[in-house]
């Protein structure tokens, strides 16, 4: 009897995850080894729910964020650019800034931030790196952020965080 509730819970969890999966580019991006949009979103929301110490500054719990495919598209463009040029940078093709890339992706923002990383093998490792960096951790814990999009291209990672206008 105890197997049936566990089995039903597993099926319900899988259905919940699949119903929340981001469309379009997310499936292409999720094919990148070690990257899972659902896992990254879950890890970010778990940290935001309990609060975090970022470089000696304690951040209180903040509301969860949602996945946004426009932010993901901006992150895909930056990760691909970094992979092509073999450099870790917030400056994109033709000198674009994160704000310009997010706007070009069709996202109208009132607040935005960007985290980049290089060399991590999976979402857990990249989250650990970002949480160990006070500035990146602060971006993740920002109460001004309500949506995110992320991407990995080869060894390069981009997380775009924003709040719409």
């Amino acid at each position: 009897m105890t197997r049936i509730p566990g089995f039903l819970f597993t099926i319900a969890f899988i259905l919940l995850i699949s119903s929340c999966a981001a469309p379009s580019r997310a499936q292409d991006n999720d094919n990148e080894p070690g990257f899972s949009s659902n896992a990254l979103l879950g890890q970010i929301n778990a940290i935001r729910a309990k609060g975090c110490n970022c470089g000696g500054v304690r951040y209180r719990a903040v509301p969860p964020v949602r996945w946004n495919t426009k932010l993901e598209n901006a992150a895909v463009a930056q990760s691909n650019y970094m992979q092509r040029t073999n450099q870790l940078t917030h400056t994109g093709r033709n000198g674009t800034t994160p704000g310009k890339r997010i706007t070009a992706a069709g996202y109208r923002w009132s607040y935005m931030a960007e985290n980049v990383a290089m060399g991590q093998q999976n979402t857990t490792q990249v989250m650990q790196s970002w949480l160990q960096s006070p500035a990146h951790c602060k971006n993740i814990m920002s109460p001004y952020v309500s949506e995110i999009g992320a991407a990995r291209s080869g060894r390069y990672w981009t997380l775009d965080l924003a709040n719409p206008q």
Side-chain angles (χ1 to χ4, degrees), residues 18-86:
S18 65
S19 70
C20 296
S24 70
R25 298 282 295 263
Q27 275 69 36
D28 294 339
N29 194 34
D30 277 347
N31 289 332
E32 193 66 41
F35 181 89
S36 165
S37 56
N38 286 330
L40 188 61
L41 180 63
Q43 289 172 19
I44 288 172
N45 282 333
I47 294 295
R48 288 175 63 90
K50 68 180 184 179
C52 190
N53 184 342
C54 301
V57 176
R58 178 75 186 156
Y59 288 86
R60 293 182 180 175
V62 290
V65 294
R66 297 175 305 276
W67 193 264
N68 182 285
T69 56
K70 290 178 182 177
L71 292 173
E72 179 185 13
N73 290 340
V76 166
Q78 184 61 11
S79 289
N80 287 343
Y81 174 78
M82 292 189 296
Q83 177 68 14
R84 276 193 315 276
T85 61
N86 198 32

Side-chain angles (χ1 to χ4, degrees), residues 3-13:
R3 287 185 156 186
I4 293 173
F7 175 73
L8 291 176
F9 174 78
T10 302
I11 289 175
F13 182 73

Side-chain angles (χ1 to χ4, degrees), residues 86-116:
N86 198 32
Q87 62 178 335
L88 182 66
T89 181
H90 288 286
T91 303
R93 190 165 75 68
N94 299 324
T96 57
T97 63
K100 287 183 180 180
R101 287 191 302 276
I102 290 170
T103 299
Y107 190 92
R108 295 180 48 132
W109 53 272
S110 61
Y111 177 89
M112 58 75 41
E114 182 178 76
N115 290 0
V116 293

Side-chain angles (χ1 to χ4, degrees), residues 47 52-59 88 90 113-118 120 124-142 159 161:
I47 294 295
C52 190
N53 184 342
C54 301
V57 176
R58 178 75 186 156
Y59 288 86
L88 182 66
H90 288 286
E114 182 178 76
N115 290 0
V116 293
M118 178 183 76
Q120 295 79 6
T124 300
Q125 288 179 4
V126 79
M127 278 298 296
Q128 288 172 346
S129 294
W130 284 330
L131 293 175
Q132 290 171 4
S133 161
H136 290 125
C137 183
K138 180 181 175 183
N139 289 343
I140 290 168
M141 293 306 300
S142 174
L159 171 65
L161 311 97

